[in-house]
Amino acid sequence: MRVTLKDIANELNLSVNTVSRGLRNMDDISLPTRMLIQETAQLLGYQRNLAASSLRTKRSYSIGIIITDYSNPVMSEIIDGAEAVGRKHGYTMMIGASNENAAIEEEIVGRMLEQGVDGLILVPTLLNPDLLHKLDQSQKPYVLAARKYPDCLCNFVYCDDLVGARLVADAFYAKGHQSFLYVAASHSSAVSRDRLQGFSSRLSLFGISHDNIHTLETDATREGAFQKMRSWIQAKQQDHVLPVTAIFAFSDYVACGVYAALKEFGYQIPKDISVIGFDNNEFSTIIEPPLTSVDNHFFEIGQRSAQRMLDILDLPENERMRSPQGIITMPELVWRNSVADLSGSE
Amino acid sequence: MRVTLKDIANELNLSVNTVSRGLRNMDDISLPTRMLIQETAQLLGYQRNLAASSLRTKRSYSIGIIITDYSNPVMSEIIDGAEAVGRKHGYTMMIGASNENAAIEEEIVGRMLEQGVDGLILVPTLLNPDLLHKLDQSQKPYVLAARKYPDCLCNFVYCDDLVGARLVADAFYAKGHQSFLYVAASHSSAVSRDRLQGFSSRLSLFGISHDNIHTLETDATREGAFQKMRSWIQAKQQDHVLPVTAIFAFSDYVACGVYAALKEFGYQIPKDISVIGFDNNEFSTIIEPPLTSVDNHFFEIGQRSAQRMLDILDLPENERMRSPQGIITMPELVWRNSVADLSGSE
DNA sequence: CTGAAAGCGCTTACAG
DNA sequence: CTGAAAGCGCTTACAG
């Protein structure tokens, strides 16, 4: 059997109480007994039973993190970041993936609450508007990571998509591009809309009208983007010339599909057409040509989500629900070789 | 405050005992009261406190899974598979990454044991021979996934590397290749040694001697493989001709480095040199040319690890430590376009 | 500085 | 079929 406080107490002829306090190094226990207790615990291989202590303290030192799916490396970065800061502060992470399924997401949330997590970090599916309501009822703090619920009054951490899109606009403009295609995710995605918004409003600053910005809606997968892009090329090309010189892809996955479609029609990147992606996935350095992409620092998003969580948990219980806080992180453009210079200036 | 059994009991003028049994649908409670209890629980938004119940039952319905790092997509597949079967059976997963650091690994194991996980699935670092001993002492069941501790008497699940390597040998041989380079991981890696072993013993069956199998040790990273491969090419090429026609890369990451080095020296794949990788990472379909690779079905490894765990947990406690079981999964070769046909037969 | 007692929210024999 | 009591392993006031 596992050794308990009682075992140590018996061993030392002390009370369970004293052992408990001694182990937690409280200074109302004399230093010598504290040492003695801690040494004996070590010797007997004592391991605290957190389930028991959490019953009393209402703290489990576990945090749940719910992502959408494991196949996207972006999620791994978020988990990695969150776990790193969580562990440093003595927390263990529970994990679950919704696979973009609202029912599963809700099930996982329920399970984690049963398990008694102190709080929840989630990359929400956005398909389940009731979820936030339920979370509010649960009284457990939660922070939304990497995705936006429109008008939500809650803790969240995400990358500034407007700035990211502006970075793309600036990059293309600096290289002399004047006509664009934005290969979007679903138009119902707030993130996708924001990126288009940031992109086109920046370009209009430069005197480039909306007419010069084509858009193409996709399901944000590589295969989906590939199919849509093929059709688009077929419909729009004339004498093997595209009506745009630059493509802004919603994500690197989308960019991959775009690459494949362009290559199929014999277009060379960046010679014939330039491409910039978003997310700065690892494979962006591997594909040919290496893809210029916006890094939204998902590791940092994970870290800050966890940090925000810890900050909340440090608050007295009755203050935790007050003043949710939004944290917006700054993206960064990573230059590679998928953009041609049309400006003739260098 | 969260609603407890007591609240439901008060509401219905029943004892906590009855409510507890009613909620668990035990048939020594009359059907009508059972229904009543369950409806009331639903109504009040009751959520079981697993920490409390586990204190009594010694079951937490959580399983810890410890991987080496998040950056390798292979790990995500393992987690995905393990979580899928775990969740289906009512378990929640705790997660931690050792980053190949033995001290962190041990810390995480300790934390998870404190948290009271029912068992542990781990992709061990192999740097910490004491770990298994400690795990044995903990009395908690554990299963090792995807990596081999030599001579370990414990539950494990991994892919048959010998078979995988044979698949590669067969593939190259069928296409007429006769001289090879194996780009290995560290020679202290049992997995890497097994792959070489399977590869060369198969080839010797075909009458190809060990002299025709060069080897190159790397650290199994893309960059490391790239550097080592460059040096190798410089040392071995004569008049821009390599001494081998086919390269077996320890992993797809290694293959990426190999690709980069080959391209730098102007070698075309597969025209000048053929390459086969291992792991069948997603990016293998993206790189140019698409990489033929051995899929070791990590998702399945995750699933079976969890399944094995559940099977153990179904055993009475005193039988759990008996008869550890090894499960070896079957790899599969996925053909793409990185192997030239030298046989002239088709 | 240390101990006796109560209680966290459950479940498990045991009565009736 | 339902209830009273004890206990899982801790922590928290409260005494002394």
Side-chain angles (χ1 to χ4, degrees):
Chain A
M1 268 324 296
R2 195 165 157 163
V3 7
T4 69
L5 288 192
K6 203 171 170 182
D7 298 323
I8 302 176
N10 288 344
E11 184 73 19
L12 297 177
N13 276 318
L14 287 170
S15 71
V16 175
N17 182 334
T18 306
V19 174
S20 171
R21 311 171 74 92
L23 277 177
R24 280 172 296 144
N25 215 23
M26 304 190 76
D27 55 12
D28 56 356
I29 306 292
S30 76
L31 200 58
T33 32
R34 255 188 277 167
M35 303 317 311
L36 191 64
I37 289 168
Q38 288 169 24
E39 278 159 17
T40 313
Q42 182 90 49
L43 211 75
L44 300 181
Y46 172 75
Q47 215 149 22
R48 187 166 47 149
N49 181 333
L50 263 175
S53 85
S54 80
L55 201 53
R56 202 69 173 80
T57 60
K58 309 298 189 199
R59 289 287 288 262
S60 68
Y61 290 93
S62 66
I63 293 174
I65 158 160
I66 301 174
I67 58 160
T68 52
D69 67 306
Y70 290 107
S71 64
N72 192 339
V74 144
M75 298 293 159
S76 299
E77 289 182 48
I78 296 175
I79 302 173
D80 199 3
E83 193 211 316
V85 350
R87 192 184 53 244
K88 205 167 69 183
H89 291 83
Y91 284 78
T92 309
M93 311 307 275
M94 307 208 98
I95 186 91
S98 65
N99 289 306
E100 298 284 6
N101 177 322
I104 295 182
E105 183 179 37
E106 222 178 299
E107 183 192 333
I108 297 175
V109 167
R111 292 266 182 83
M112 289 189 175
L113 292 176
E114 281 191 346
Q115 290 279 357
V117 292
D118 290 335
L120 242 20
I121 294 171
L122 50 174
V123 183
T125 61
L126 304 186
L127 300 170
N128 190 0
D130 293 345
L131 185 67
L132 293 193
H133 187 62
K134 290 196 181 172
L135 282 169
D136 283 328
Q137 285 188 315
S138 81
Q139 300 277 75
K140 295 278 186 186
Y142 60 95
V143 2
L144 267 33
R147 286 192 181 182
K148 304 167 185 179
Y149 256 107
D151 314 316
C152 109
L153 215 85
C154 55
N155 296 286
F156 62 81
V157 181
Y158 59 70
C159 182
D160 195 322
D161 288 305
L162 271 63
V163 170
R166 252 179 258 153
L167 257 26
V168 177
D170 289 352
F172 279 144
Y173 184 73
K175 298 291 183 188
H177 294 268
Q178 299 276 342
S179 55
F180 309 90
L181 168 65
Y182 173 57
V183 184
S186 155
H187 287 335
S188 68
S189 148
V191 171
S192 183
R193 283 199 312 262
D194 281 0
R195 289 184 189 167
L196 175 57
Q197 157 76 36
F199 189 60
S200 59
S201 70
R202 185 65 161 196
L203 288 174
S204 70
L205 262 183
F206 301 139
I208 295 172
S209 90
H210 285 210
D211 299 344
N212 293 317
I213 306 172
H214 297 65
T215 64
L216 180 60
E217 182 175 14
T218 74
D219 61 0
T221 66
R222 182 153 65 103
E223 183 58 24
F226 172 65
Q227 299 294 353
K228 288 293 184 72
M229 191 63 202
R230 285 175 88 183
S231 312
W232 188 86
I233 294 173
Q234 273 169 329
K236 301 289 182 176
Q237 70 178 357
Q238 295 203 352
D239 302 329
H240 197 67
V241 173
L242 295 170
V244 305
T245 64
I247 299 177
F248 173 21
F250 169 74
S251 70
D252 288 359
Y253 273 105
V254 167
C256 263
V258 167
Y259 264 46
L262 289 169
K263 286 177 182 176
E264 187 181 304
F265 284 88
Y267 290 100
Q268 287 185 32
I269 309 164
K271 193 171 138 284
D272 301 324
I273 180 100
S274 298
V275 181
I276 295 183
F278 221 100
D279 284 356
N280 196 27
N281 271 334
E282 182 184 35
F283 60 72
S284 304
T285 67
I286 297 178
I287 54 178
E288 276 298 324
L291 177 68
T292 296
S293 184
V294 176
D295 191 331
N296 19 24
H297 300 304
F298 283 108
F299 184 83
E300 181 191 348
I301 289 179
Q303 286 180 304
R304 301 189 71 168
S305 300
Q307 191 54 61
R308 177 66 190 132
M309 187 75 254
L310 297 180
D311 289 345
I312 297 172
L313 291 175
D314 275 346
L315 259 36
E317 199 144 359
N318 56 344
E319 289 177 24
R320 287 187 188 163
M321 291 309 168
R322 275 212 273 280
S323 60
Q325 183 180 322
I327 297 173
I328 298 185
T329 62
M330 281 302 125
E332 177 190 3
L333 188 75
V334 180
W335 276 103
R336 296 202 185 86
N337 303 311
S338 59
V339 178
D341 190 349
L342 270 41
S343 67
S345 70
E346 43 174 6
Chain B
M1 267 325 295
R2 195 165 158 162
V3 8
T4 68
L5 289 190
K6 203 171 171 184
D7 298 323
I8 302 175
N10 288 343
E11 184 72 20
L12 297 177
N13 275 317
L14 288 170
S15 72
V16 175
N17 182 335
T18 305
V19 174
S20 171
R21 310 170 74 93
L23 277 178
R24 279 173 296 147
N25 214 21
M26 303 189 76
D27 55 11
D28 56 357
I29 305 292
S30 75
L31 199 58
T33 31
R34 254 187 278 167
M35 304 315 310
L36 190 64
I37 289 169
Q38 287 168 25
E39 279 159 18
T40 313
Q42 182 90 50
L43 211 75
L44 300 181
Y46 172 75
Q47 216 149 22
R48 186 164 46 146
N49 180 333
L50 263 175
S53 86
S54 80
L55 200 53
R56 203 66 172 84
T57 61
K58 310 297 189 202
R59 289 286 288 262
S60 68
Y61 289 93
S62 66
I63 293 174
I65 157 161
I66 301 174
I67 58 161
T68 52
D69 67 307
Y70 290 107
S71 64
N72 192 340
V74 144
M75 298 293 159
S76 299
E77 290 182 49
I78 296 175
I79 303 172
D80 199 3
E83 193 211 317
V85 352
R87 191 183 55 244
K88 206 168 69 185
H89 291 83
Y91 284 78
T92 309
M93 311 307 275
M94 307 209 97
I95 186 91
S98 65
N99 288 306
E100 299 282 6
N101 177 322
I104 295 181
E105 184 178 37
E106 223 178 297
E107 183 192 333
I108 297 175
V109 167
R111 292 267 182 86
M112 288 190 176
L113 292 176
E114 281 191 346
Q115 290 280 355
V117 292
D118 291 334
L120 241 22
I121 294 171
L122 50 174
V123 183
T125 60
L126 304 185
L127 299 171
N128 192 358
D130 293 343
L131 186 68
L132 293 194
H133 187 63
K134 291 195 181 170
L135 282 168
D136 283 327
Q137 285 188 315
S138 83
Q139 300 277 75
K140 295 278 186 186
Y142 61 96
V143 1
L144 266 33
R147 287 194 181 181
K148 306 167 183 176
Y149 255 107
D151 316 316
C152 111
L153 214 86
C154 56
N155 296 285
F156 62 82
V157 181
Y158 59 70
C159 183
D160 195 321
D161 288 305
L162 271 65
V163 170
R166 252 180 257 154
L167 256 27
V168 177
D170 289 354
F172 279 143
Y173 185 73
K175 297 293 184 188
H177 293 268
Q178 299 275 340
S179 55
F180 308 90
L181 169 65
Y182 173 57
V183 184
S186 156
H187 288 334
S188 68
S189 149
V191 171
S192 183
R193 282 199 311 261
D194 282 359
R195 289 183 189 166
L196 175 57
Q197 157 75 36
F199 188 61
S200 59
S201 69
R202 184 64 160 195
L203 288 174
S204 71
L205 262 182
F206 300 139
I208 295 172
S209 89
H210 285 211
D211 298 345
N212 293 316
I213 305 172
H214 296 64
T215 64
L216 180 61
E217 182 175 14
T218 73
D219 60 0
T221 66
R222 182 153 64 104
E223 183 58 25
F226 172 65
Q227 299 294 354
K228 288 292 183 74
M229 191 64 201
R230 285 175 89 183
S231 313
W232 188 86
I233 295 173
Q234 272 169 329
K236 302 288 182 174
Q237 71 177 357
Q238 296 202 350
D239 303 327
H240 198 67
V241 172
L242 294 171
V244 304
T245 64
I247 299 177
F248 173 20
F250 168 75
S251 70
D252 288 0
Y253 273 106
V254 167
C256 263
V258 167
Y259 264 45
L262 289 169
K263 286 177 182 175
E264 186 180 304
F265 284 89
Y267 291 100
Q268 287 186 32
I269 310 164
K271 193 171 141 285
D272 301 325
I273 181 101
S274 298
V275 182
I276 294 183
F278 221 101
D279 284 355
N280 196 28
N281 271 335
E282 184 185 33
F283 61 70
S284 304
T285 68
I286 297 177
I287 53 178
E288 276 298 324
L291 177 68
T292 296
S293 183
V294 176
D295 191 331
N296 18 24
H297 299 304
F298 283 109
F299 184 82
E300 181 190 348
I301 289 178
Q303 287 180 302
R304 300 189 72 167
S305 300
Q307 190 54 61
R308 177 68 190 130
M309 186 77 255
L310 297 180
D311 290 346
I312 298 172
L313 292 175
D314 275 346
L315 259 36
E317 199 143 359
N318 56 345
E319 289 176 24
R320 287 187 188 163
M321 289 312 166
R322 274 211 273 282
S323 60
Q325 183 181 320
I327 297 172
I328 298 185
T329 63
M330 279 304 124
E332 178 190 2
L333 188 75
V334 180
W335 277 103
R336 295 201 184 86
N337 304 312
S338 60
V339 178
D341 190 350
L342 270 42
S343 67
S345 69
E346 40 174 8

